[in-house]
Amino acid sequence: MSTILLAGGAGYIGSHTAVELINAGYDVIVADNYANSSPESISRVEKITGKKIALYEADVSNAADMEKIFSKEHIDAVIHFAGLKAVGESVQKPLLYYRNNIDTTLTLLETMAKYNVNNIIFSSSATVYGEANKVPYLETMPRGECTNPYGWTKSMMEQILTDAAAADEALSVVLLRYFNPIGAHESGMIGEDPQGIPNNLMPYVTQVAVGKRECLTIFGNDYPTKDGTCTRDYIHVVDLAKGHVKAIGYILSQDKCCDIFNLGTGTPYSVTEIVETFERVNGVKVNHIYGDRRSGDLAECYANADKALEVLGWKTEKTLEDMCRDSWNWQKQNPNGYRG
Ligand code: NAD
Ligand code: UDP
């Protein structure tokens, strides 16, 4: 069976993808510098799957660190999750974001070329559609103007990977544009573990529900949407992880490819619907108030996910209720995340 290197694999999406790849029979290697994670997530993946994972503490932007791994392991494909992802922080520290995110991509591509590893799947984001495109987003739409440096790093990395694939006839690239991953593995053993005050909606909701934060502020209720709050395409992280397994099967079966896939459900839900569903499914209260809009937020964002179904044979299976239940199950069992 093939061996897959997960760069940034100790993080939220990487750890769930590790579980699904192992379940599908792949061997997994993880490289992470724990900038936003801890090795505990991988210990938990080992408990869930009953398989040992080769785990390297490594900076993916550092060529010497990558050499150590590529010279020792046989790698068939790389999934590149490694990156910093806090939108607000990227506005405060743009150079940190450009340096870390773009360097990880360049170093990976250079090391892969040196060791003749020719398949890379990249964690991109719906944010690359920018402000001008109309929902639902289609892969054929042009990338747009991003509203923050984080988004620009994704857009730039897509361009770098596309140019590298055009120049190297052996290199295959798959760009996966994620919508809004939430939820956790149904065991409650792995999940999203944000450091400090969460930026994203679902971890904030779970922390209010568990009593770690007082009150959720819903950013704006005067948008031109069904109930005035923003809508997003929330996707269960396990469905998302299974999308990576399909993408690995696809890239390994192609002589050469350079493809983009949206990974979303195609169904938008509003912030108010998330809060109400969370309260109903879990029987808990989420204190909330309505506040000002957050700058840079789009009213609506959701996928046309037809291409992933047609080409990869992938579609989401889990419901919003599953997402809310599994997020809460993880939070309840791990009130302080991986710190116990
Ligand atoms: P995460 O922060 O949990 O995982 C990213 C991992 O990369 C972390 O474990 C971090 O320690 C590691 N990392 C960062 N810089 C590194 C470096 N230089 N060397 C080695 N490891 C490094 O985030 P996630 O939610 O799992 O996201 C994974 C990828 O998907 C990221 O690239 C993110 O931008 C992208 N993405 C995430 C979302 C989302 O909402 N979670 C949406 C779209 C795209
Ligand atoms: N949101 C909110 N309060 C919060 C965090 C987020 O109302 O404390 C809203 C945000 O305005 C957006 C949605 O929840 O409409 C999803 O935000 P998130 O940051 O999770 O993802 P985004 O789509 O912005 O990347």
Side-chain angles (χ1 to χ4, degrees), residues 8 10-14 32-37 58-61 81-83 85 100 104 123-125 150 154 178-179 181:
Y12 173 46
I13 303 169
D32 206 299
N33 67 354
Y34 311 127
N36 192 40
S37 58
D59 181 343
V60 176
S61 66
F81 300 102
K85 64 162 186 177
N100 186 71
T104 54
S123 297
S124 191
S125 166
Y150 165 75
K154 291 293 175 197
Y178 308 156
F179 282 70

Side-chain angles (χ1 to χ4, degrees), residues 37 48 55 58 67 69 71 91 114 119 126 137 230 283 291 294 328:
S37 58
I48 291 169
L55 176 61
E67 286 274 340
I69 301 173
S71 60
V91 176
K114 184 165 170 191
N119 299 298
Y137 295 135
C230 295
R294 181 172 68 177
W328 182 229

